[in-house]
Amino acid sequence: MLGRMSKASSHVVKFGMPMTARVWRNARIDLGASCLFGLFNVVMNQFYVAFAIQQGASNLQVGLLTAAPAVGLIFSPIWANWIEKSRNPKPFVIIPNAIGRLLLLLPAFFSYPSVYVVAALLFQLLMGIQSPAYAALVSRMYPTDIRGRLMGYVRVAMGILMIPLAYMVGGWSEAFGPSGPLIAASIAGVLSIGLFNTLKLSKKVERSSHPAMKADAEPDRKRQKFSMREQWELVVSNRTLAVFLAATTFAGFGNMLASPLYQITQVDVLELSNVQIGYARVAYFTALLLTFWIAGLMIDRFHIKYTLMIGIGAYAVVPMLYGVWGTYSAVIAGNAIQGIGEAIWDIGILAFVFRLVPGREAMVFGIHLMLFGARGTVGPLLSSSLTSSLSLSTLLIAASICGWIGTALFVFGNRNQKGLAGSS
């Protein structure tokens, strides 16, 4: 009797979701760390390139800054191999993030375009280590049947906070320059990863309480190591995975091709102030947080292909808005749609990988990130180098076409797929 009472007391119901006390504790830690990370996110991902352009960065340097997130990810399969062998992904998340977030102090004290580029490249090389590890880490933080909602709720809270932060950073940097926001972002980022380090993880991947899902999700424990050949054999043998990788490669390439052009359009063509850029980021974060909430619900309740289709299609719409209209209104709308796309790519792709290949998350996510590394390196460098010979609108329309090809591949490639449905 005492044992049954103790077991019952270790479970709680929060927001209509039954979970263990450990999972609820992890959700609160994740929430606190994500809110602290919000300031770092706003500065690094929304203002960093604009700061560099204002400090005199050339179009080639803008291309390098935009490509930086992809460079380190080219080596993700190598890190994924090491992570999977270690069976403990946590150090691979904590250590690179702690070091990387301190790097923002470099451009804060040495405001040269070359310093911005070096700091960004070093930071993203470290993120190439943590990205596949995070995919494996989340599977030990939350069980499958409530993971989408918990990830969505945490990110909604972070998004709500980032709306005023985006406006604050815009006004702060407009009045006093970028050094203050960069220093504050670095400090908040380090505090965030310190809090995240207090998570209590399951020794094995958390599974749904549903018996059928448990059976499907059980990993092959006999497989201790893998090679690049094994990784690609998995892709070839799994049609759903192959379609997903092909679609995200085209759409993602279009997004990365257009990415530096967005910044150049905003700063050099439209000559927007940091405050105006801040308003655009408010639109981005508003759409981001709403999508985290809605997508989290959709992922747990409906076939995941519908959610991913919206996210992939968003990357086709944004460059079309910039290329066809190219006004401040298009910038506002484009930022909002970009927020929708990025929210879905964030939690949607993680949820997709968890359900498609349970137990091999780090490996498959490593392949996905390697492909992102390739397209994310080539795309920005190609578009920024072509700005001297082609118009921005031509390059943006080309990026939009890549996005529509990726969307079509995903839609037609998944017409008859019935797997990966929501847990309800």
Side-chain angles (χ1 to χ4, degrees):
M1 173 69 76
L2 184 61
R4 287 197 297 270
M5 290 177 63
S6 175
K7 184 176 180 180
S9 65
S10 68
H11 286 72
V12 295
V13 177
K14 298 293 182 179
F15 305 106
M17 296 177 285
M19 64 188 78
T20 65
R22 180 185 60 79
V23 170
W24 173 234
R25 179 181 182 275
N26 283 346
R28 287 177 290 166
I29 291 171
D30 193 13
L31 173 63
S34 296
C35 288
L36 279 171
F37 178 71
L39 178 58
F40 182 91
N41 192 348
V42 168
V43 172
M44 185 67 191
N45 294 325
Q46 305 303 319
F47 282 91
Y48 191 84
V49 176
F51 288 165
I53 296 174
Q54 290 161 5
Q55 297 299 321
S58 65
N59 283 1
L60 178 58
Q61 287 174 319
V62 173
L64 287 169
L65 285 168
T66 310
V71 172
L73 298 181
I74 295 174
F75 307 103
S76 285
I78 299 172
W79 295 117
N81 190 0
W82 190 6
I83 292 161
E84 193 164 291
K85 286 179 180 178
S86 75
R87 295 180 176 272
N88 181 17
K90 195 173 181 181
F92 295 91
V93 173
I94 302 301
I95 296 172
N97 269 300
I99 297 171
R101 294 175 189 187
L102 287 171
L103 289 172
L104 246 63
L105 296 175
L106 291 176
F109 294 114
F110 307 99
S111 56
Y112 303 104
S114 57
V115 175
Y116 276 85
V117 173
V118 170
L121 287 170
L122 290 175
F123 173 77
Q124 298 298 347
L125 283 169
L126 290 165
M127 294 306 97
I129 302 172
Q130 77 89 33
S131 294
Y134 182 76
L137 185 72
V138 171
S139 67
R140 300 186 185 188
M141 288 168 55
Y142 303 132
T144 304
D145 48 358
I146 60 173
R147 188 180 295 138
R149 279 169 287 176
L150 285 175
M151 289 193 300
Y153 291 155
V154 166
R155 284 159 173 78
V156 165
M158 180 176 67
I160 291 172
L161 181 62
M162 287 192 293
I163 292 173
L165 282 175
Y167 179 77
M168 183 194 77
V169 170
W172 187 4
S173 59
E174 185 74 19
F176 302 104
S179 293
L182 287 167
I183 293 170
S186 180
I187 294 170
V190 172
L191 291 174
S192 168
I193 201 63
L195 178 58
F196 197 74
N197 191 36
T198 64
L199 289 168
K200 299 294 183 183
L201 304 180
S202 171
K203 293 182 180 179
K204 59 183 179 180
V205 175
E206 287 284 353
R207 303 301 179 196
S208 167
S209 57
H210 195 287
M213 188 170 287
K214 279 186 177 181
D216 292 340
E218 188 65 28
D220 185 355
R221 301 183 183 277
K222 295 180 181 179
R223 303 174 79 176
Q224 298 295 323
K225 55 186 178 181
F226 59 89
S227 63
M228 280 296 295
R229 180 179 177 181
E230 181 185 354
Q231 294 180 51
W232 288 110
E233 284 176 350
L234 175 62
V235 174
V236 171
S237 65
N238 190 319
R239 181 177 180 271
T240 303
L241 178 59
V243 168
F244 162 76
L245 291 174
T248 53
T249 294
F250 272 97
F253 178 75
N255 180 57
M256 295 309 299
L257 190 71
S259 192
L261 308 180
Y262 300 152
Q263 308 286 345
I264 293 170
T265 299
Q266 292 173 25
V267 178
D268 287 345
V269 177
L270 297 177
E271 297 182 343
L272 303 182
S273 68
N274 283 344
V275 172
Q276 288 176 306
I277 294 173
Y279 283 127
R281 298 303 185 257
V282 167
Y284 168 85
F285 286 121
T286 301
L288 187 81
L289 76 90
L290 288 173
T291 306
F292 276 140
W293 175 56
I294 296 169
L297 295 174
M298 288 181 64
I299 287 168
D300 287 339
R301 287 173 167 78
F302 303 105
H303 198 301
I304 198 169
K305 70 180 181 181
Y306 300 116
T307 306
L308 286 178
M309 178 183 67
I310 295 170
I312 293 171
Y315 282 178
V317 174
V318 179
M320 185 175 67
L321 286 174
Y322 273 80
V324 174
W325 286 279
T327 62
Y328 184 49
S329 298
V331 170
I332 297 289
N335 270 262
I337 297 171
Q338 188 80 11
I340 293 171
E342 291 189 8
I344 292 173
W345 280 58
D346 183 355
I347 61 175
I349 288 176
L350 281 172
F352 176 89
V353 171
F354 292 145
R355 292 178 184 177
L356 188 64
V357 284
R360 311 297 320 263
E361 296 93 348
M363 183 186 74
V364 173
F365 207 62
I367 298 173
H368 168 68
L369 292 176
M370 181 189 69
L371 292 172
F372 170 74
R375 65 181 180 256
T377 301
V378 174
L381 294 177
L382 179 63
S383 61
S384 59
S385 63
L386 289 174
T387 53
S388 59
S389 55
L390 295 174
S391 67
L392 291 179
S393 60
T394 299
L395 293 169
L396 287 162
I397 294 299
S400 180
I401 291 171
C402 289
W404 288 118
I405 292 172
T407 305
L409 282 172
F410 188 80
V411 171
F412 291 107
N414 285 286
R415 280 183 302 177
N416 300 318
Q417 298 299 309
K418 298 180 180 180
L420 302 174
S423 60
S424 60

